[in-house]
Amino acid sequence: MSGPTQGATTEADHPLRVVPQPTPESQPFWDACARHELVIQRCRSCGRFWFPPSNHCQHCWSEDFAWEPVSGRGELYTFTVYRRAYAPELAEQLPYVVGVVELEQGPRLITNIVDREPGDVRVGMPVEVVFLDFPAGVTLHAFRPRENSRTPSTRAV
Amino acid sequence: MYQRSVAIVGAAHSQLGEVPGSTAIGLMADASVAAVADAGLTPASIDGVIVRGPDDEYCFQQQVGERLGLNAAFSTSLGNGGASQALAVVLASLAIEAGLATTVLCGYARNSWSRTRRSGSRKARMNQSTHNRTREWRDSFGYFGEPATHALGAQRHMAMYGTTKEQLGHVAVSVREHATRNPHAQMQSPLTMEEYLDGPLVAEPFGIYDCSLRTDGAGAVVVTETARAKDLPHPPVVVRGFGSHNNLRGWTIDDHMVQTAARASGERAYRIADVSPSDIDTAQLYDCFTYMVLAQLEDYGFCEKGEGGELVASGALGLDGAIPTNTSGGQLSEGHVEGMLQVVEAVRQLRHEYPAERQVPDARLALVSGHGGNTVCHTTLILEGG
Ligand SMILES: [Zn+2]
């Protein structure tokens, strides 16, 4: 295929690259992904968000935090288009886009950009979260251009 | 306060490139013996060992000591990735001024070409080396390899400042031109802009010519008190100043991708050395990827932020350019020994060892950089010739 163009909640038609192995700290993030919900840790002391998950606020070191559902909207901070496969099973997915998305709440996530030809992806593009369900029973977040509304069933929370 | 009483008196590298069957420690021994001989010293004079080997080899300095019959008053292996090699010279300088050691062997070795051949496929390596946190937040999204990490920075820089692929190409073409005059370089045939632009893509905007080489090789230098150097064969190359900075929060945080740790590291080094960018005669920069040269030229103040593309396109990196850079061919064309060869090349340029076709005219001050550890750690050296 010429690029990942999966619908938001459909079963992804490419093999999962590597199954994430959650830690006790990150388990709530992946559990939420499985519910098609994006959650980020927010400090109850200073009110700020952080990512990736850890048990201390990166800003004030408080251990008092909540997993907060977030809008899933953001901007594409930067990206790269993979043209070379780093493992044989990745070859059929080329080219695919790895991006860094800056959420409205501040934290940046490494993710995939879908529903857009790699040649048309742009830094600064408004994006929104979608969830890819893999046959292995794992769900990963990805982001697509925000003006795209071809799959209104998507739960972009 | 650093007294600038320390100098590099010996420098050498091992065979570079594809060295079938080589081991990191074997290459390290080759470079170390050559560096001590270059210094005109004997093994008995070495009382410090600061080295780094492959990241999965525990306490590499013990292997070095065992292999070369050295005990040491001061010794460690470093863990700052590509920033470690210049950092070894910083630590050696501080240890010597503090009286912890008198003469320190600094070095780095890798056998990445041979190691890859031995361990089989890329997939095997990928699965062996991946840390759990990396696996969770990067591998799951098909994010593998160092090219992508630096490509993310290049893409952001291009979007912010209009930097072009062709401007990145000027880095690759310029350092290759230097390599054509270096008989030890892995890549000795010229590279044209057309060949660069036609190079197979790896992780956009990078193609193969934006990426450094896979190398078996080692480099080493000997650092001692400048006062001891008067009886030695080569003029001392004084460690005039140094700096470091580490964006430990990560590459994707704040503006680290476009204003790298080189900025703050360089400011410290200029202050300690009491020089400014316009005083620097040659730069030996950590060129793991073309973009990192461009970003560092900006961060080190050789031009304004965002103007690196124009600077490299002006021919600035050439021997007669505004800032002759990576004059051995660097990691893009000479060999990738994680910043160690940058130190060696700076010493040779400041000694005026080369024939005119390879020598930076009137070179007196060199800036050397090391960068690494998931591209967040940075070290700067400012070295001064006689
Ligand atoms: Zn806090």
Side-chain angles (χ1 to χ4, degrees):
Chain A
M1 68 187 185
S2 65
T5 53
Q6 292 78 16
T9 59
T10 61
E11 285 227 325
D13 63 0
H14 62 270
L16 183 61
R17 291 147 191 149
V18 175
V19 176
Q21 296 174 323
T23 62
E25 292 182 336
S26 67
Q27 189 69 54
F29 178 88
W30 294 113
D31 289 347
C33 263
R35 305 190 300 269
H36 290 198
E37 196 173 51
L38 189 67
V39 299
I40 302 285
Q41 283 167 298
R42 184 177 200 176
C43 179
R44 286 201 178 100
S45 295
C46 73
R48 296 169 78 179
F49 292 85
W50 73 88
F51 185 86
S54 65
N55 285 343
H56 294 86
C57 170
Q58 286 181 4
H59 311 287
C60 75
W61 295 9
S62 168
E63 295 175 63
D64 185 15
F65 62 83
W67 286 95
E68 199 159 299
V70 293
S71 64
R73 288 190 297 270
E75 274 191 6
L76 184 59
Y77 182 76
T78 189
F79 69 98
T80 182
V81 182
Y82 270 76
R83 297 285 178 178
R84 174 175 286 190
Y86 275 73
E89 64 268 29
L90 290 167
E92 64 186 31
Q93 296 171 39
L94 296 176
Y96 63 90
V97 180
V98 170
V100 178
V101 166
E102 183 170 294
L103 297 175
E104 288 176 329
Q105 291 77 14
R108 294 179 189 156
L109 269 63
I110 289 163
T111 187
N112 293 120
I113 304 302
V114 298
D115 285 0
R116 180 62 56 100
E117 285 301 315
D120 294 330
V121 173
R122 297 285 178 269
V123 169
M125 213 168 63
V127 292
E128 65 188 2
V129 73
V130 295
F131 294 95
L132 305 181
D133 295 326
F134 289 88
V138 175
T139 301
L140 294 183
H141 59 77
F143 283 75
R144 66 177 181 187
R146 205 187 301 164
E147 60 273 20
N148 182 326
S149 57
R150 280 187 314 199
T151 47
S153 63
T154 303
R155 287 179 56 194
V157 293
Chain B
M1 195 66 193
Y2 177 63
Q3 300 298 314
R4 300 180 200 151
S5 69
V6 174
I8 298 174
V9 296
H13 60 69
S14 70
Q15 191 181 345
L16 303 174
E18 298 176 2
V19 187
S22 63
T23 60
I25 185 62
L27 294 163
M28 185 76 249
D30 290 346
S32 300
V33 168
V36 173
D38 181 66
L41 292 168
T42 60
S45 57
I46 303 297
D47 64 355
V49 177
I50 307 176
V51 291
R52 176 170 164 251
D55 288 325
D56 58 353
E57 295 198 13
Y58 178 68
C59 290
F60 193 63
Q61 82 278 22
Q62 294 176 1
Q63 292 186 45
V64 173
E66 185 178 83
R67 184 85 166 218
L68 297 176
L70 300 172
N71 295 320
F74 187 81
S75 176
T76 192
S77 288
L78 300 182
N80 276 20
S84 303
Q85 288 55 255
L87 185 63
V89 176
V90 176
L91 294 179
S93 302
L94 297 175
I96 290 165
E97 284 206 349
L100 281 171
T102 61
T103 305
V104 182
L105 175 69
C106 301
Y108 171 71
R110 72 182 334 196
N111 61 333
S112 65
W113 185 87
S114 291
R115 184 175 276 245
T116 311
R117 291 303 175 281
R118 199 174 58 214
S119 66
S121 70
R122 281 178 170 276
K123 187 186 180 201
R125 272 194 306 138
M126 192 172 88
N127 290 339
Q128 281 164 14
S129 64
T130 302
H131 185 268
N132 182 58
R133 196 168 173 89
T134 306
R135 202 177 157 87
E136 186 172 16
W137 303 113
R138 288 172 49 158
D139 298 13
S140 306
F141 303 94
Y143 176 174
F144 296 105
E146 283 306 301
T149 300
H150 299 79
L152 292 171
Q155 192 79 254
R156 179 73 189 173
H157 197 279
M158 290 165 117
M160 287 183 75
Y161 302 113
T163 305
T164 65
K165 170 90 175 169
E166 188 163 339
Q167 288 171 336
L168 295 177
H170 279 287
V171 175
V173 169
S174 296
V175 300
R176 179 63 65 85
E177 190 188 335
H178 290 306
T180 64
R181 296 185 284 264
N182 177 358
H184 298 290
Q186 281 178 257
M187 309 298 281
Q188 294 186 25
S189 55
L191 177 70
T192 66
M193 182 59 77
E194 195 173 19
E195 287 167 325
Y196 167 83
L197 292 171
D198 287 344
L201 291 168
V202 177
E204 289 184 45
F206 292 163
I208 57 170
Y209 297 116
D210 293 287
C211 304
S212 50
L213 302 167
R214 189 171 303 160
T215 302
D216 297 333
V221 296
V222 178
V223 182
T224 192
E225 292 166 310
T226 309
R228 289 174 186 257
K230 63 180 185 299
D231 303 323
L232 301 179
H234 295 289
V237 170
V238 173
V239 180
R240 183 171 169 123
F242 36 69
S244 76
H245 192 73
N246 304 276
N247 285 332
L248 301 181
R249 292 189 63 215
W251 180 238
T252 64
I253 305 293
D254 297 333
D255 57 356
H256 296 170
M257 288 187 192
V258 291
Q259 181 167 295
T260 74
R263 174 72 173 264
S265 181
E267 285 171 356
R268 291 191 183 106
Y270 288 136
R271 191 180 70 238
I272 290 174
D274 193 25
V275 300
S276 64
S278 61
D279 297 320
I280 303 297
D281 300 306
T282 179
Q284 306 297 334
L285 302 178
Y286 194 90
D287 57 338
C288 45
F289 298 92
T290 51
Y291 166 64
M292 294 308 295
V293 174
L294 195 149
Q296 288 176 76
L297 288 166
E298 296 172 350
D299 292 332
Y300 278 121
F302 297 118
C303 62
E304 294 297 314
K305 181 51 70 181
E307 294 177 358
E310 288 168 46
L311 180 68
V312 299
S314 74
L317 310 189
L319 268 192
D320 55 356
I323 180 71
T325 297
N326 293 11
T327 47
S328 65
Q331 297 174 168
L332 292 165
S333 284
E334 182 190 36
H336 190 349
V337 186
E338 300 229 348
M340 198 62 224
L341 300 182
Q342 273 80 344
V343 184
V344 172
E345 174 67 6
V347 169
R348 290 174 174 171
Q349 287 289 352
L350 295 175
R351 286 177 178 173
H352 290 253
E353 272 187 10
Y354 289 125
E357 59 158 20
R358 229 187 123 181
Q359 178 65 46
V360 177
D362 304 320
R364 191 180 67 83
L365 282 173
L367 184 148
V368 179
S369 75
H371 194 86
N374 298 315
T375 202
V376 306
C377 298
H378 198 95
T379 312
T380 309
L381 298 176
I382 294 176
L383 305 178
E384 182 172 24

